[in-house]
Amino acid sequence: MKRRLLLLSTTLLVAVVLAQVSVPSVVAESATTETQPVYTTPDGFLLGDVVPNAYAKLVRNQNGITTNVHTSLEGSGAYTVWWVVFNHPENCTTYLCTFDEPDIVVNATGHIVPSGGPANLSAWLGIGGPYSGEIIYEGPDGSLTNPDGALITLVVRFHGPALPGQIPEQLTTFLGGCPNGGAPCVDEQLVVFPGDCSGACLVPFP
């Protein structure tokens, strides 16, 4: 099960060749901020279109990372956001760490979103853990240890219409609202913040 979830989380990075890497700007002496576009993931694996008027910001400092995803979502219902963290992307052997093991995949936040309306999804991840959100994969470090340089992927996941009595699970767990682990749950959108990517991490697939 962990292997399947790992592949689901990491293979989402395969098609981010066209991701727009912004240059971090200093917002405070000890913090930087990055802004990236939001992409659809139409089949859960391949990168789709840029979501119009959508963007995500990531603020990094020595204590952790904070994100805000401003986007539009077609279906009303329950959505979660997941952190996928690679603390040292310079050690990855594949493009943007696509087939490398993340250090942690953990729930960031969850919200009920109205149909067609803008969604603002915010979350914070502290250095070192432990974390209160559901962890679906733990790798070598098992937490965020390099907030300044880590490659961070955000996955926006749909959990179907809000279901009375199941909303807490839909907003906090990977399989909440998903009978047998399948539909209606699907990874709908993706954002990548490359961090200190270098070497093989920046070499595109042939």
Side-chain angles (χ1 to χ4, degrees):
M1 180 64 173
K2 285 187 175 181
R3 181 61 179 168
R4 183 179 69 81
L5 294 175
L6 169 63
L7 290 175
L8 175 62
S9 299
T10 57
T11 53
L12 286 171
L13 298 177
V14 170
V16 293
V17 176
L18 299 179
Q20 301 172 22
V21 179
S22 64
V23 177
S25 58
V26 176
V27 295
E29 185 176 352
S30 59
T32 60
T33 185
E34 303 164 54
T35 301
Q36 295 290 346
V38 179
Y39 292 91
T40 62
T41 55
D43 65 359
F45 292 93
L46 297 178
L47 188 69
D49 300 322
V50 173
V51 179
N53 303 314
Y55 61 89
K57 290 188 176 183
L58 186 76
V59 177
R60 305 171 184 259
N61 63 33
Q62 61 183 359
N63 297 316
I65 52 179
T66 301
T67 192
N68 177 262
V69 182
H70 177 83
T71 188
S72 295
L73 298 160
E74 292 185 2
S76 61
Y79 287 85
T80 55
V81 180
W82 296 83
W83 300 105
V84 184
V85 176
F86 297 86
N87 283 308
H88 295 286
E90 71 276 11
N91 295 331
C92 288
T93 60
T94 59
Y95 179 67
L96 290 181
C97 303
T98 302
F99 295 109
D100 292 85
E101 289 189 7
D103 289 290
I104 192 167
V105 181
V106 59
N107 178 259
T109 189
H111 291 278
I112 302 298
V113 177
S115 179
N120 287 288
L121 309 168
S122 298
W124 178 79
L125 189 69
I127 191 169
Y131 305 119
S132 58
E134 182 187 36
I135 296 172
I136 61 172
Y137 184 81
E138 289 183 271
D141 286 352
S143 66
L144 173 69
T145 61
N146 180 24
D148 290 332
L151 183 150
I152 305 296
T153 298
L154 301 176
V155 179
V156 180
R157 182 169 172 82
F158 179 57
H159 292 258
L163 301 174
Q166 297 186 40
I167 292 175
E169 289 78 15
Q170 287 181 288
L171 299 182
T172 59
T173 66
F174 190 80
L175 297 178
C178 315
N180 301 316
C185 289
V186 63
D187 299 327
E188 284 199 355
Q189 296 182 355
L190 174 71
V191 186
V192 178
F193 299 94
D196 288 339
C197 234
S198 62
C201 187
L202 287 179
V203 178
F205 295 111

